[in-house]
Amino acid sequence: MNFFDKLQASILQNQSLLFVSLDPNPELLPAHYTSEDIIANLHNWLEFIIRETSDYVCAYKPTFGLYQALGIPGLELLENTLAIIPSHIPVILDAKHSDLNSSTVFAHRVFTQLNVDAVTLSPYTGQDHVAPFLVYLDKAVFILCSTSNPGAEALQKYPSEESPLYLQVVKESRNWGTPEQLGLEVGTTNTEVLARIRSTAPERVIMARSIWSQGSNIKEILAAGLNKNGDGLLIPVPQDILSQPQLAAQIQSLRAEINQAKTDIVGNASTCALWLPDVSVVSLHPQQDLILQLYDVGCIMFGSFVQASGATFPYYIDLRKIISNPQIFNQVLTAYAEILNHLQFDRLAGIPYGSLPTATGLSLRLHCPLIFPRKEVKAHGTRRLIEGNFHPGETVAVVDDILITGKSVMEGAQKLKSEGLNVQDIVVLIDHEQGVKARLLDHGYQAHSVFTLSEITETLYQCGRINQEQFLAFYESTG
């Protein structure tokens, strides 16, 4: 069971959106814990919190830094605390990990040794930092995109209120992983910030933080953070009530208040977005509806676009938006799977970093282990060329998003082969044509594509999405 399935099951079982921070902060320790052994006091308090709340919350969130600050006894306390959390309730380790150099080692530590279900990460080092965590398909990450600290506003709201940095973090991180593996951590006392993030990432689970300020209105918080289905939002238990003797009763009361507010909100919002093809032509391609949807959401555009090389093309393709639309993403995975089901391989490999979300989704869909070749090999740490577990001699099917020159996918395949793996098949969504498949075949790789760029253009023209001028401009540019 992956993290988000486990989370959803916990939400349903306990009928709760609440999560509890398990923070061994000596300054917050209730006064009645009087033993001279501070670690024993903290353990007893944390055990009390878990015992009192385990029937009323959906997740626990230990703050890694506080355990680290207590030294070796603190790390032992963390392991002992994790051991008493009921196994059906997911654990989100609040680490705010931000070091690219140690990301692979840290991911292995928290996911295989501590066996937590998710971890919070800092976004500043980008997708390179997140990728080693996404190799663990049943785990998840939460990307920090906003904090409530007043001193952070100068950074988070830069360069302007209209286009703040925190929203850019949300937009970029949506391209790093699927909704099943990547959520957002949002610390704010401002419901407008929460609403803007929800609007930008309607498909993501949001773990809210620092929402309890004087005069907080839970109904406004839920209205800002819930998705259209009335879920996708985790609410923190206020830290000050964790030291109260009647903790269970207070948690039940808070849960009831949240559930009633949620019911009121969901009951007043019963809309459902539905995409329809709005064409009546005979299907030109088995994936006609998918082509039209990719065009309608802006993944495929026709016009005049300057490329990185300086050349001007009459089209532009941006497939990063796919993973933010679950309906389309599901169809893309199905299209890939129809090809992969006819191939023989032991593992899947995604080419970093654009195709990693797709490769992850396919790994889950096909129940096949995932690996990926690093773009670069670090001069420190494990210096691993390939992330994930594998055995030399195995056959790997390579997944990429688009074939333009074939350079990046051949470089990735060569890295896999250098570690003793066999690469025979390469599967992509779009083939730019121009003889790329033939060049790959010359190097011993059989390339497969869901559709070609000319098939896309023909379909869009016949269905009325592009006009004759755009249609002819495409063929003039491709010779």
Side-chain angles (χ1 to χ4, degrees):
M1 180 182 295
N2 66 41
F3 167 77
F4 285 105
D5 287 341
K6 184 176 181 179
L7 176 64
Q8 188 61 32
S10 181
I11 290 171
L12 291 174
Q13 178 171 328
N14 286 350
Q15 290 295 296
S16 178
L17 299 178
L18 290 168
F19 69 90
V20 172
S21 295
L22 296 175
D23 297 344
N25 189 341
E27 295 179 359
L28 300 178
L29 187 68
H32 61 272
Y33 291 99
T34 57
S35 168
E36 293 184 3
D37 186 343
I38 187 64
I39 297 296
N41 286 336
L42 291 170
H43 178 270
N44 291 336
W45 180 39
L46 294 171
E47 185 177 29
F48 165 77
I49 292 173
I50 295 168
R51 184 172 63 249
E52 291 286 295
T53 62
S54 61
D55 289 333
Y56 312 113
V57 301
C58 67
Y60 288 104
K61 187 187 68 63
T63 300
F64 190 56
L66 287 171
Y67 293 89
Q68 280 185 309
L70 296 170
I72 292 176
L75 296 176
E76 292 174 346
L77 174 63
L78 174 60
E79 294 191 18
N80 292 333
T81 301
L82 294 174
I84 58 178
I85 295 175
S87 60
H88 68 279
I89 300 180
V91 176
I92 304 166
L93 186 66
D94 191 356
K96 304 294 193 297
H97 190 265
S98 59
D99 180 37
L100 178 63
N101 300 337
S102 61
S103 57
T104 299
V105 175
F106 190 74
H108 182 267
R109 165 67 173 156
V110 299
F111 286 154
T112 66
Q113 297 175 7
L114 295 181
N115 200 32
V116 301
D117 301 286
V119 64
T120 63
L121 303 177
S122 175
Y124 200 69
T125 46
Q127 189 177 21
D128 303 52
H129 173 49
V130 178
F133 293 85
L134 299 183
V135 171
Y136 298 85
L137 299 179
D138 57 339
K139 307 297 185 178
V141 300
F142 282 83
I143 302 299
L144 175 66
C145 56
S146 172
T147 79
S148 61
N149 182 24
E153 286 199 4
L155 292 174
Q156 292 176 172
K157 293 185 177 180
Y158 180 85
S160 67
E161 290 277 355
E162 293 73 27
S163 183
L165 177 61
Y166 73 84
L167 279 188
Q168 184 61 29
V169 170
V170 174
K171 293 173 184 177
E172 278 300 309
S173 63
R174 294 172 75 200
N175 299 319
W176 298 346
T178 68
E180 288 76 22
Q181 276 201 303
L182 187 146
L184 302 171
E185 182 180 11
V186 180
T188 183
T189 57
N190 186 339
T191 55
E192 182 181 345
V193 170
L194 185 57
R196 293 185 72 181
I197 291 174
R198 170 52 72 207
S199 177
T200 303
E203 79 293 347
R204 302 289 161 159
V205 171
I206 293 176
M207 180 171 65
R209 299 284 305 280
S210 308
I211 59 173
W212 301 111
S213 60
Q214 187 172 5
S216 292
N217 185 312
I218 188 59
K219 198 163 187 176
E220 292 179 358
I221 292 168
L222 292 170
L226 290 172
N227 61 26
K228 290 183 178 180
N229 297 322
D231 52 28
L233 180 66
L234 306 182
I235 301 292
V237 171
Q239 192 72 35
D240 58 353
I241 75 171
L242 296 179
S243 59
Q244 301 300 314
Q246 301 299 320
L247 177 56
Q250 295 197 50
I251 294 286
Q252 289 184 69
S253 176
L254 180 59
R255 182 186 66 169
E257 181 184 359
I258 290 173
N259 288 344
Q260 183 58 57
K262 175 185 170 182
T263 299
D264 293 342
I265 293 168
V266 173
N268 293 327
S270 56
T271 61
C272 178
L274 177 66
W275 181 92
L276 296 172
D278 69 4
V279 295
S280 57
V281 300
V282 176
S283 179
L284 301 173
H285 192 280
Q287 300 291 347
Q288 175 180 290
D289 281 359
L290 178 54
I291 292 173
L292 297 180
Q293 289 183 80
L294 290 172
Y295 178 82
D296 289 349
V297 300
C299 291
I300 303 169
M301 294 170 279
F302 283 76
S304 181
F305 301 93
V306 178
Q307 309 298 306
S309 63
T312 300
F313 284 7
Y315 60 88
Y316 185 74
I317 297 175
D318 179 8
L319 299 179
R320 295 180 299 173
K321 298 178 181 179
I322 290 174
I323 61 174
S324 295
N325 188 311
Q327 177 193 6
I328 296 177
F329 188 45
N330 182 60
Q331 291 184 65
V332 167
L333 294 180
T334 299
Y336 272 96
E338 288 176 357
I339 296 174
L340 288 163
N341 281 333
H342 293 89
L343 305 178
Q344 297 295 321
F345 53 91
D346 301 303
R347 296 179 190 273
L348 287 170
I351 299 299
Y353 287 105
S355 70
L356 287 185
T358 299
T360 300
L362 287 168
S363 178
L364 293 167
R365 174 78 65 90
L366 301 175
H367 305 288
C368 180
L370 174 67
I371 59 176
F372 73 88
R374 294 193 64 98
K375 269 192 172 182
E376 67 295 309
V377 179
K378 300 297 181 183
H380 43 254
T382 61
R383 303 183 183 180
R384 296 187 66 175
L385 183 64
I386 310 297
E387 293 289 356
N389 298 320
F390 61 91
H391 304 288
E394 291 180 320
T395 298
V396 177
V398 174
V399 173
D400 205 356
D401 50 4
I402 190 166
L403 281 180
I404 300 177
T405 66
K407 179 182 177 182
S408 63
V409 75
M410 281 194 286
E411 289 177 349
Q414 186 57 44
K415 290 176 182 177
L416 295 168
K417 291 172 68 175
S418 72
E419 294 292 315
L421 294 164
N422 299 318
V423 179
Q424 299 173 354
D425 296 290
I426 294 169
V427 185
V428 301
L429 185 66
I430 299 176
D431 172 22
H432 263 244
E433 301 164 290
Q434 306 298 311
V436 179
K437 284 184 176 179
R439 288 198 293 275
L440 289 173
L441 191 59
D442 289 340
H443 287 80
Y445 308 119
Q446 182 69 53
H448 314 262
S449 62
V450 175
F451 30 61
T452 66
L453 196 54
S454 59
E455 288 173 339
I456 292 172
T457 306
E458 291 277 355
T459 300
L460 293 175
Y461 178 57
Q462 292 298 325
C463 294
R465 290 298 199 272
I466 63 174
N467 57 37
Q468 186 177 37
E469 181 181 353
Q470 293 170 318
F471 177 72
L472 294 175
F474 166 77
Y475 279 103
E476 289 174 1
S477 70
T478 57

